[in-house]
Amino acid sequence: MSVLELVDTSITTHLATTSSSEERTPATAFSDADKLVDHIIDVVGKEIVLGAPLAIGKSVAFINALYQRAKADPSITLRIETGITLEKPVGKSKLERNFLKPFVEREFDGVPDIDYIMDLRKGAVPANITISEFFFKAGSFMNSPQQQNYTSTNYTHAVRDLLDKGVNVVTQLVAKRTIDGVTTYSLGSNSDLALDFAPVMKEMQDNGTPVAMVAEVNTNMPFMQNHAEVADNVFDFVLDQNLKPGHQDYSLFAAPHASISPEDHMIGFYASTLIKDGGTLQIGIGSLSSALVYSALLRHQNNRVYNQIMDELKVSEKFPVCRHVGDRGTFEEGLYGCSELMVDGFVSLYEAGILKREVFEDLTVQTLLNRKKITTDVTVSTLLTLLEHDAIKQQLTAQDVSYLKRIGVFRQSVEFIDGQLQAQQQTMKADLGDTEALQWITKLCLGDKLTGGAVMHGAFFIGPKDFYDALNEMSDEDHKKFCMTSVNYVNDLYDHFIGSQKLKQAQRKHARFVNSAMMVTLNGSAISDALENGQVVSGVGGQYNFVAQSHQLPDSRSIMKLRSCTVRNGKLKSNIMFNYGHTTIPRQLRDIVITEYGIADLRGKPDHVVYTELIKIADSRFQQQLLEQAKAAGKVAKDYTIPVEFGNNTPQAIQSFYQKYTQQNIFGPFPFGCSFTAEELQLGKALKSLKAKTATPAGKIKCILHAITTPRPDNTIQPLLKRIGLDKPTSVQDKLTQRLLIAELRGR
């Protein structure tokens, strides 16, 4: 249901009330960004605190114009409050730059740079401008002065915190359409904060505070309906450069398809065994989430092989939590997606017939569906069940008929006139207790399906190009099932003007809130956003909200995924650690943890079980050390030994298993498409391997010794060297680099 429609229902919202056409005039349109900046300064003055959404929702043309104006005029004070500022990949070394340049030119063609991030990288932001983010693009500002401007906040508190910081201009990218002379805007990729900002900003204006809501139209932004579609008076000013002849909107930033490693696939597979048919799913971004989607598809589309893998891995025997928490069958009832980030994987699940459990904005309807008293197919039984549960009266009223039409039980053509029903130019008494009337209603009034159902609620989206294409090409019917909405609606259970806590609880049955962590300590605490020295890697975002929410819902589980180990400072380290000096999710909220070696069920367990369950899914190269630390602290019995079935947690075991199934075209690094050419894949793999091998002095010496004896490049390697600019090296450094790369490409 659109926010526009809320005013016509029993749901009353502040946004719908204050945005009515009687009280607000349509937004003023500008075709020139600089003229809009002039006007903004006239309205709010020269002290500007700009709130901009995460990721692709930023109005780049307007933000760049405002930034350049402040950069040229020191009398303007500009503070930009935002999150996840996206930037095109830039190599740190000459070799990386040579590799990335053709790729970036191809994949990011038409995508503009955001000026302030370019100046941040060069240290050229003037003193009158500050950029503050509450979520970094992962790892983008390590060892950077920008660490000082990070604001730690939960995603659901972002509007509150930005208002506390004095935000007086809110801006975002929107889509636009005009139907029968009525123009509406879609919040597109970022309904997350705007739906909550709008009523507050209007109230501030009514109280005489100079603030402004600014939209920038981009025809490439998918037009999302439902809650994301807003009236043309929600914004005060709109930058629509399409009003200028010959203008072409810039391309949206698209994240290339990430490769899925064997370890990631195993993590995704284990996670898929915990998903309940008929349940709710939240997933994040990146290869771990793509791996989960892949295994969910495998479970549904090739269930025989899926169960074969389960049996071979002895998942049910080693990790019994999957038997009562998850399923291993196909998705007959289907899933409902409730995720702050709507990734392309949800569209894949929808197209495969997995994301199909519809939820409704009516608590009675949702409750009856959950109890299987009704289905989404409308019959006379649907009508009588609603009567039985006092949703309507036996002697139907005008309000009852309006309600039945809104939820799809009655056709839109049915009218209530002078106490009687009218349909297909016939009239009948509106009495459900009358047999003749009920038969007439069954024949002429009933609809086919419940209407207004959504299979997905999301707060923002970002993904690859084909994801945006899929959204743009969706039919109207499909679009209505994807509802972009407020982050406070998705991430929290508290009452919200879009839906009550009771409604959210009814919708989110059997929820599996799946998140990723960098590290987990043996007491079950998760580290996801920062290091123990205080350096921020990304941000808390919505992770805490979803974990807390999972503990509030009776049949929900929080699932934390992580790779068992990683290379840090040139050394292999376990990501399951005895302790760590920073925590994102505290131990009292521990639940399920997954690595490539299995599942640890921690919720409600005593510490000795928590410690040993996590040790069981650690890499075997670190298990004994972790066990000794746990015993030394008195958390595990001195005579405890790791069961033999958990003692072969090695990369070699993963590779052996993985290769067996890739030979059957199961798994694979790019199951959802690849943004790289064959040459780039070969080079990228070699460069990544070479970087890891030369991370330590000893490793560098070893690689150099191999490189010295490597043969000259043959006809298969020469094109690769040319692609990366090393076919004709001149300097000693380039010649050595060439030899190192040749050796790596030859598999030395």
Side-chain angles (χ1 to χ4, degrees):
M1 179 183 294
S2 168
V3 170
L4 297 171
E5 296 178 61
L6 294 179
V7 72
D8 297 323
T9 72
S10 58
I11 306 170
T12 303
T13 78
H14 187 72
L15 178 58
T17 302
T18 59
S19 299
S20 66
S21 58
E22 291 79 14
E23 296 183 27
R24 300 284 176 183
T25 57
T28 303
F30 292 81
S31 62
D32 184 86
D34 287 319
K35 289 181 180 178
L36 175 55
V37 170
D38 290 336
H39 198 75
I40 291 297
I41 293 173
D42 288 342
V43 171
V44 305
K46 289 192 170 184
E47 292 189 7
I48 301 172
V49 183
L50 179 71
L54 318 125
I56 66 171
K58 291 179 175 59
S59 47
V60 180
F62 171 67
I63 292 172
N64 281 352
L66 183 59
Y67 175 77
Q68 291 299 337
R69 182 68 61 85
K71 189 175 177 181
D73 184 356
S75 68
I76 297 174
T77 300
L78 174 62
R79 190 162 79 248
I80 300 174
E81 299 284 346
T82 187
I84 310 183
T85 299
L86 298 167
E87 48 191 322
K88 301 168 193 173
V90 178
K92 295 180 181 179
S93 66
K94 179 182 177 182
L95 198 62
E96 289 181 352
R97 289 192 292 272
N98 287 349
F99 173 77
L100 285 171
K101 189 174 183 293
F103 172 78
V104 170
E105 289 175 350
R106 182 182 71 245
E107 290 297 313
F108 296 92
D109 181 37
V111 177
D113 292 316
I114 298 178
D115 291 346
Y116 70 74
I117 196 73
M118 304 301 287
D119 280 358
L120 267 177
R121 294 301 182 195
K122 295 183 290 188
V125 177
N128 62 318
I129 302 175
T130 304
I131 294 95
S132 180
E133 298 197 63
F134 68 88
F135 202 105
F136 291 148
K137 183 169 70 73
S140 61
F141 285 109
M142 302 299 292
N143 303 306
S144 165
Q146 193 63 3
Q147 289 279 332
Q148 299 173 23
N149 292 324
Y150 170 76
T151 300
S152 184
T153 187
N154 286 326
Y155 201 176
T156 52
H157 299 154
V159 169
R160 178 204 67 188
D161 291 349
L162 293 181
L163 289 168
D164 286 347
K165 288 184 170 190
V167 163
N168 54 12
V169 179
V170 173
T171 183
Q172 80 167 79
L173 209 62
V174 299
K176 173 186 176 181
R177 72 177 178 183
T178 301
I179 298 177
D180 296 331
V182 177
T183 296
T184 56
Y185 295 104
S186 171
L187 302 173
S189 63
N190 286 79
S191 56
D192 47 358
L193 305 182
L195 287 172
D196 293 277
F197 259 126
V200 179
M201 297 289 277
K202 295 299 184 187
E203 186 175 347
M204 293 170 69
Q205 287 178 335
D206 291 342
N207 293 332
T209 305
V211 297
M213 291 276 291
V214 178
E216 179 181 320
V217 174
N218 189 303
T219 53
N220 295 310
M221 175 63 71
F223 195 103
M224 308 305 292
Q225 301 179 34
N226 300 306
H227 299 169
E229 184 174 6
V230 298
D232 63 354
N233 52 20
V234 166
F235 293 98
D236 301 300
F237 310 107
V238 172
L239 175 63
D240 187 354
Q241 297 179 96
N242 297 290
L243 298 174
K244 295 184 293 188
H247 174 77
Q248 184 173 352
D249 286 326
Y250 53 81
S251 301
L252 301 179
F253 190 105
H257 286 286
S259 65
I260 306 176
S261 70
E263 291 78 13
D264 292 349
H265 266 302
M266 295 309 301
I267 294 169
F269 184 85
Y270 283 119
S272 72
T273 69
L274 301 173
I275 301 173
K276 195 85 168 175
D277 185 26
T280 303
L281 184 63
Q282 181 250 341
I283 54 178
I285 197 169
S287 60
L288 285 175
S289 298
S290 298
L292 168 57
V293 170
Y294 177 82
S295 283
L297 291 168
L298 179 66
R299 172 175 148 184
H300 187 68
Q301 297 172 331
N302 197 343
N303 193 248
R304 180 189 62 79
V305 170
Y306 183 88
N307 278 284
Q308 178 183 323
I309 294 172
M310 275 200 76
D311 293 340
E312 189 170 340
L313 291 172
K314 299 182 179 179
V315 179
S316 297
E317 293 83 351
K318 293 172 69 175
F319 312 108
V321 63
C322 73
R323 295 203 295 266
H324 63 269
V325 167
D327 282 328
R328 60 191 297 165
T330 57
F331 294 95
E332 299 306 311
E333 187 178 349
L335 301 177
Y336 154 64
C338 182
S339 185
E340 66 177 15
L341 172 59
M342 183 175 80
V343 292
D344 56 310
F346 281 111
V347 173
S348 298
L349 294 173
Y350 179 71
E351 292 173 343
I354 296 174
L355 193 73
K356 63 181 178 181
R357 183 173 75 84
E358 295 182 67
V359 301
F360 293 81
E361 293 185 350
D362 184 270
L363 179 58
T364 300
V365 169
Q366 189 61 55
T367 302
L368 293 175
L369 284 168
N370 289 357
R371 294 176 181 172
K372 301 191 183 305
K373 298 288 186 181
I374 62 173
T375 69
T376 56
D377 293 322
V378 173
T379 65
V380 68
S381 175
T382 312
L383 190 64
L384 295 176
T385 303
L386 290 170
L387 174 63
E388 179 186 347
H389 288 83
D390 299 321
I392 53 177
K393 297 179 178 62
Q394 179 177 309
Q395 185 68 46
L396 294 175
T397 66
Q399 185 176 2
D400 289 335
V401 172
S402 176
Y403 170 70
L404 291 170
K405 288 167 67 175
R406 178 163 61 85
I407 64 176
V409 175
F410 273 7
R411 298 172 186 169
Q412 290 303 307
S413 59
V414 176
E415 300 291 342
F416 184 82
I417 301 173
D418 297 329
Q420 291 189 312
L421 295 173
Q422 189 175 88
Q424 298 183 25
Q425 299 180 336
Q426 299 181 42
T427 303
M428 177 58 69
K429 67 180 90 173
D431 186 357
L432 298 182
D434 184 279
T435 303
E436 181 185 2
L438 189 60
Q439 290 175 345
W440 183 90
I441 290 169
T442 303
K443 181 179 179 181
L444 300 180
C445 297
L446 292 184
D448 297 319
K449 292 270 189 182
L450 295 177
T451 57
V455 298
M456 176 83 217
H457 280 101
F460 80 104
F461 65 70
I462 181 175
K465 291 177 183 178
D466 53 13
F467 173 47
Y468 304 153
D469 291 340
L471 293 177
N472 277 318
E473 293 166 7
M474 270 186 181
S475 68
D476 194 60
E477 181 182 357
D478 289 334
H479 251 297
K480 288 177 179 177
K481 294 182 181 180
F482 287 80
C483 183
M484 301 303 295
T485 188
S486 164
V487 72
N488 285 285
Y489 180 80
V490 174
N491 289 29
D492 259 336
L493 285 177
Y494 301 119
D495 287 345
H496 189 268
F497 67 75
I498 292 175
S500 69
Q501 179 169 335
K502 287 183 178 179
L503 177 64
K504 296 182 194 181
Q505 288 174 318
Q507 291 174 342
R508 300 172 193 186
K509 65 174 186 173
H510 299 299
R512 301 293 176 261
F513 297 126
V514 186
N515 290 284
S516 298
M518 298 186 295
M519 294 168 276
V520 168
T521 60
L522 286 185
N523 67 11
S525 302
I527 301 94
S528 308
D529 68 314
L531 306 180
E532 60 185 347
N533 66 358
Q535 284 189 331
V536 179
V537 177
S538 54
V540 177
Q543 185 172 110
Y544 177 85
N545 292 128
F546 279 109
V547 171
Q549 186 179 162
S550 72
H551 286 268
Q552 294 172 288
L553 292 166
D555 52 12
S556 172
R557 300 302 295 262
S558 167
I559 299 170
M560 201 67 69
K561 305 169 299 180
L562 76 158
R563 301 175 183 95
S564 68
C565 51
T566 191
V567 175
R568 287 193 287 271
N569 299 321
K571 292 185 178 180
L572 186 70
K573 301 282 187 180
S574 175
N575 284 330
I576 295 179
M577 310 177 75
F578 177 69
N579 57 8
Y580 195 72
H582 171 75
T583 293
T584 310
I585 304 301
R587 62 182 179 180
Q588 66 267 26
L589 294 179
R590 62 199 181 194
D591 196 345
I592 292 173
V593 175
I594 298 176
T595 72
E596 64 268 35
Y597 299 117
I599 307 166
D601 181 17
L602 312 179
R603 194 177 76 179
K605 302 295 193 298
D607 273 4
H608 77 93
V609 173
V610 171
Y611 278 63
T612 53
E613 286 299 295
L614 285 170
I615 291 171
K616 287 178 185 176
I617 63 169
D619 189 290
S620 289
R621 290 168 289 183
F622 301 99
Q623 284 179 318
Q624 202 57 43
Q625 176 189 349
L626 290 168
L627 181 59
E628 289 171 2
Q629 288 176 297
K631 288 181 176 179
K635 305 302 289 187
V636 174
K638 298 293 185 183
D639 60 351
Y640 176 83
T641 58
I642 299 169
V644 65
E645 61 266 32
F646 298 98
N648 188 35
N649 293 352
T650 64
Q652 292 76 19
I654 295 289
Q655 281 292 339
S656 176
F657 181 86
Y658 177 77
Q659 288 173 4
K660 173 183 175 180
Y661 281 95
T662 54
Q663 291 171 3
Q664 304 174 41
N665 294 317
I666 305 296
F667 302 127
F670 292 101
F672 299 111
C674 181
S675 303
F676 297 96
T677 66
E679 280 187 347
E680 288 167 347
L681 285 174
Q682 196 174 352
L683 280 168
K685 185 176 181 180
L687 291 172
K688 185 177 180 180
S689 175
L690 190 58
K691 187 175 182 178
K693 290 177 180 178
T694 58
T696 63
K700 190 174 292 186
I701 292 171
K702 185 177 180 180
C703 285
I704 290 173
L705 291 174
H706 284 162
I708 291 172
T709 59
T710 194
R712 290 190 172 277
D714 55 24
N715 292 335
T716 61
I717 291 180
Q718 194 65 35
L720 299 174
L721 296 177
K722 186 175 182 180
R723 165 62 181 80
I724 206 164
L726 282 176
D727 53 325
K728 297 177 181 178
T730 54
S731 69
V732 174
Q733 178 66 43
D734 284 351
K735 288 178 181 178
L736 177 58
T737 303
Q738 185 205 57
R739 304 293 288 178
L740 286 167
L741 183 58
I742 293 170
E744 191 60 41
L745 288 167
R746 288 185 180 280
R748 295 289 299 269

